[in-house]
Every structure is written in structure tokens, then in C-alpha cells.
Amino acid sequence: MHNPCRICGGTVKGSIDLGRHPRGNAFPRPGETADEFFYRLVVGMCDVCTMVQLLEDIPQEVRYHDEYPYHASGSAIHRRHFEEIAQGFLDTELTGPDPFAVEIGSNDGVMLARIARAGVRHLGVEPSRQVAEMSRAKGVRVLPEFFDEGTAERIRAEHGPADVMFGANVIAHISHLASVLRGAALLLARTGVFVFEEPYLGSVVEKTAFDILYDEHSFVFSVRAIQAAAERFGLELVDARLMEIHGGSMRYTLAPAGARPVSPRVGELLEKEAAQGLGEHATLEEFARRARTVRDDLTALVRDLHAQGKRIVGYGAPAKITTVTNYCGIGPDLIPFVCDSTPSKQGRLVAGTHIPVRAPEAFSADHPDYALLFAWNHAEEIMAKEREFAERGGRWILYVPDVHIV
Ligand code: DWN
Ligand code: ZN
């Protein structure tokens, strides 16, 4: 399978083929599974600019519908993370006479609420109605649209240039990334910055985190690919920092070309990426082989425990659960339910495999023998919350970076 690159037109060769999958965040209601949408989950790298991308693109209106169920403020660690980001902007970038901040995909307003409380001009650009309403309730101003260069032009005409543009776990979701970058170049003040953080290819490869691959992640960014993409649209990558959040994300800072000094971190990370072979097809092919091993090991373990009469339930229903359960063929026969703290996911089913999602009380009311941790990036927070489970002899099953029991 080959496609033209969405950024530079080069050739993208499909190196990772995980087969047919439903949408990661579909979470259908029972009785709504008859005509689920499936696509072929194939990921590859551009042979010119090295951007890693999905070969089949799912229309954005299908993905970010009115009932988009993911709430960015669903974890205490995430809430703190986004409040710190907002405070950082208030302290360093939003200090001029009448500063203006724009967030692309502002979700439930977890970041912008802090900026709104400080009385700073801001605008969230968020097409999913329910989460946009949640942010309005926090005093956040929202434009209910998808961001592209047309939106950028209109925002600039109405509000003037932006001192800060921000996006978290959203920029890599936008298949018209070229238009987003053109829009950023249009909307940013000469002294402004465009900061975004997204799951990092280096961490995904290092951890064999194949479950980060699903319809929403049109791209998996690397420093090298972002530097090249920024350059094409009059922007420059001036900083990049690796963070633990979401199992390994990179925070990129772009500025108008030549406007800011470039941090030495950028060069250091580029060297590290070259040593890791991140720009090579062979690295993705090796990743695909390791993903198959994880699948075989996890399926064997779950089947074996089930055959021994052990009760296993799932913990956390992140979008990632859709990839891993569909890829491994794990359904309600092996895992009767998965618990998740997000009210909009409870009472629904994991797309494709139809494992029911229940409230966390279902877990604590009747502790199983094993809990398969799908929200592995929140392991610390969840294991601390569910200490009693382990104290009573319960064991956690993890599959990142390989299958193991703790
Ligand atoms: O790009 C995206 C990223 C990176 O975030 C989005 N497309 C959506 C989202 O992906 P995800 O769904 O994999 O995100 P999380 O944060 O790993 O999801 C964690 C899930 O676990 C949530 O549904 C909430 C749940 N949870 C829980 O039930 N109890 C989380 C915590 C911390 C808990 O204590
Ligand atoms: Zn390319």
C-alpha cells in the first residue's frame, strides 16, 4: 500500500498493517453495533520528509462528532499538567498590553479556563459540541469549528494576531496539517509561539506502544518531521521537550522563521532520533514485528488465565483499547467488562469487540483476580487509587513495553 505524503507529496509506504479497525473513540451504545464503521489501519513513513502517517484517512466530521467522549480533564495528573502550561504562558508569553491566546481543540477547557480566570483574551477552537459546552461553563470562549487557514484568517481579522497558539493531542489528529501550519503562520504575531504536544514517535517505537495507532492519529510526529514541515510553511522549530504524559509526548514550539533563537535541545533530539533509526522504514517494520509478539503473548496469557478459571476485567477505556482489543481479538468472552471513570463512556461498548464499559464502582464492588490495564499511561494514578485491589491479592496485567504481570 502506497500513498502521497500529506505534507510534501513524497511517497508513503505502509510499513505497519494492523488490519481492519473501528474508530477508537466510537464507543457505540448496545444495539447500535449493526453498522459499525471499519477502516484498514495501516501506518507508514514518507520517504522524503519522514512524516509518519495513516494511509487511510477518516473524515474529521465522523471522528469529532457532537458526542466526542474524551474529556481532557479526566485525570488529576492531566488537570495539573494543563494548569501548569496555562500558568507558564501567563508568566512568559502573555505579558504584553492586551495578549491573545488561541487553543486548537480546546476540549472541555481544562487549559483555557486558567487563562480565562486571569482575564486574558482567548479563544478555543473546538468542533465537538458537548465538550465545547463543558468549557463554556468554565468561562471559556469557544468557536465551534475545525481549525484551518480559513479559520485562522477570520480569527486574525476579528481578534488580531495571536501571542500564543496551543494544541494538545490534537495537531497530530488533523489530516489537513499543511493548512493548519499555513494558518498558524497567518495568525501568529511576529513575536508569537505555536506550542503543541503530541504522542512522540520515539517513545511509541521504544515502548512498542502500537495501541497509540488509531483513526484519530493521522500522524505520529518526530522532531525531524516537524522541523521539516514547519520550514515548508514559513515557521521554525525553536524548541522541543520530551514529557512523560500519554506514555511519552513531545512538546514542540514553533515560531515565525528567524524570530527566535533555536534551543540546543532541537539538535540533540535530532541526533538521538538518527541513532534510534526513526527516519528509516526498517525501524517501523521491526516495530510491526514486535507488535505481533505483544499481541501473541497477550492473547496467550489472557486465554490461559481464563482457562484456569481466573476472572480478568479491564481497567480504563482509552481510545487505545479499541486498537489493542481488536488487534488481539479480545472480547467480552475473555474480559466481561472494562471500567472507566468517564461518564460518557459508561453504559457503552468498546467499538468492534463490544466489551461493556462500566463505572469504576463495578471494579471495587467485586474485585477480579486480574485487571488488564488499558490506561497504562495512567498506571501510577490508577494503581494508587486501587491500592486495595493489590492488597487483596489482585494482579495487574500490562502489555507495554511487553506483556508482564505486576
Ligand atoms: O490523542 C488523544 C490522546 C493522546 O488522548 C486522543 N485521541 C484521546 C486520548 O487518548 P486516550 O483515550 O488513549 O487517553 P487516555 O488519557 O489514556 O485515557 C484514559 C482513560 O482512562 C480515560 O477514559 C479515563 C480513564 N481513567 C480511569 O478510568 N480512571 C483514567 C484515570 C486516570 C483513572 O483513574
Ligand atoms: Zn513527506
Side-chain angles (χ1 to χ4, degrees):
M1 212 170 168
H2 289 82
N3 260 13
C5 170
R6 295 194 182 90
I7 301 297
C8 78
T11 303
V12 181
K13 183 177 99 177
S15 297
I16 306 166
D17 185 347
L18 299 184
R20 278 166 49 75
H21 284 259
R23 290 184 300 114
N25 267 319
F27 293 103
R29 292 184 178 86
E32 277 182 356
T33 55
D35 50 1
E36 277 183 292
F37 178 92
F38 276 81
Y39 70 103
R40 179 111 174 257
L41 178 44
V42 183
V43 175
M45 181 184 294
C46 170
D47 61 4
V48 178
C49 75
T50 75
M51 183 65 87
V52 170
Q53 48 201 285
L54 273 184
L55 273 79
E56 194 174 325
D57 186 30
I58 314 305
Q60 58 188 5
E61 291 75 10
V62 176
R63 295 188 260 151
Y64 308 105
H65 46 84
D66 283 351
E67 294 187 349
Y68 183 67
Y70 182 73
H71 298 168
S73 61
S75 134
I77 291 174
H78 285 193
R79 284 196 293 278
R80 203 162 52 239
H81 175 79
F82 289 117
E83 276 168 17
E84 280 168 15
I85 289 175
Q87 194 56 51
F89 286 145
L90 289 168
D91 293 343
T92 58
E93 304 291 341
L94 299 169
T95 52
D98 182 22
F100 178 45
V102 173
E103 182 174 5
I104 302 174
S106 45
N107 197 273
D108 58 11
V110 63
M111 199 287 284
L112 278 182
R114 176 79 196 78
I115 288 182
R117 279 203 305 278
V120 168
R121 273 196 312 132
H122 64 275
L123 189 64
V125 186
E126 175 53 70
S128 301
R129 190 174 52 81
Q130 279 183 359
V131 286
E133 271 163 21
M134 289 170 78
S135 64
R136 283 198 189 96
K138 296 173 187 160
V140 171
R141 188 166 180 187
V142 189
L143 182 68
E145 285 184 27
F146 287 98
F147 185 88
D148 59 18
E149 51 185 314
T151 329
E153 238 170 52
R154 275 180 283 124
I155 296 174
R156 184 167 177 133
E158 191 176 333
H159 302 272
D163 301 288
V164 165
M165 288 179 63
F166 180 70
N169 305 307
V170 65
I171 306 303
H173 294 201
I174 309 179
S175 58
H176 58 267
L177 178 61
S179 174
V180 170
L181 293 172
R182 262 188 232 110
L186 261 166
L187 180 54
L188 272 187
R190 179 73 192 152
T191 50
V193 281
F194 178 20
V195 178
F196 51 96
E197 48 183 62
E198 307 289 328
Y200 177 50
L201 180 65
S203 307
V204 171
V205 166
E206 192 183 299
K207 297 183 177 171
T208 318
F210 63 86
D211 56 353
I212 209 85
L213 305 176
Y214 48 89
D215 60 311
E216 292 187 8
H217 292 159
S218 299
F219 302 96
V220 187
F221 292 158
S222 65
V223 173
R224 178 171 166 188
I226 285 299
Q227 186 185 49
E231 231 177 82
R232 291 182 75 83
F233 300 102
L235 298 166
E236 188 173 17
L237 177 65
V238 295
D239 202 0
R241 280 173 196 252
L242 187 61
M243 293 169 308
E244 268 311 304
I245 201 157
H246 279 300
S249 294
M250 189 68 78
R251 181 185 299 166
Y252 303 92
T253 304
L254 309 189
R260 293 203 179 202
V262 178
S263 158
R265 264 188 296 272
V266 172
E268 287 160 19
L269 284 161
L270 286 171
E271 271 176 37
K272 221 172 130 203
E273 288 190 349
Q276 203 186 346
L278 281 196
E280 290 157 33
H281 294 298
T283 303
L284 294 194
E285 282 150 18
E286 168 58 23
F287 170 89
R289 275 192 290 279
R290 291 201 311 274
R292 283 196 287 276
T293 303
V294 171
R295 175 189 64 186
D296 296 346
D297 291 352
L298 184 60
T299 311
L301 175 67
V302 170
R303 286 191 181 285
D304 188 40
L305 291 172
H306 187 257
Q308 290 173 35
K310 305 289 186 199
R311 220 164 66 85
I312 315 166
V313 307
Y315 204 108
K320 297 182 280 285
I321 194 176
T322 310
T323 299
V324 65
T325 57
N326 280 281
Y327 184 53
C328 297
I330 294 175
D333 51 329
L334 296 169
I335 304 226
F337 71 89
V338 55
C339 68
D340 193 285
S341 56
T342 317
S344 54
K345 294 180 184 176
Q346 295 162 5
R348 304 223 176 187
L349 305 172
V350 175
T353 50
H354 305 160
I355 300 172
V357 184
R358 302 219 178 121
E361 290 70 39
F363 181 77
S364 39
D366 183 16
H367 281 143
D369 301 304
Y370 290 87
L372 176 44
L373 186 56
F374 293 107
W376 53 266
N377 45 317
H378 299 278
E380 210 180 305
E381 186 172 342
I382 290 173
M383 287 181 185
K385 201 183 282 181
E386 302 291 355
R387 224 181 12 248
E388 215 187 306
F389 165 63
E391 281 166 6
R392 290 188 180 182
R395 310 284 302 270
W396 294 98
I397 302 173
L398 285 120
Y399 56 88
V400 177
D402 50 22
V403 178
H404 58 286
I405 297 175
V406 293

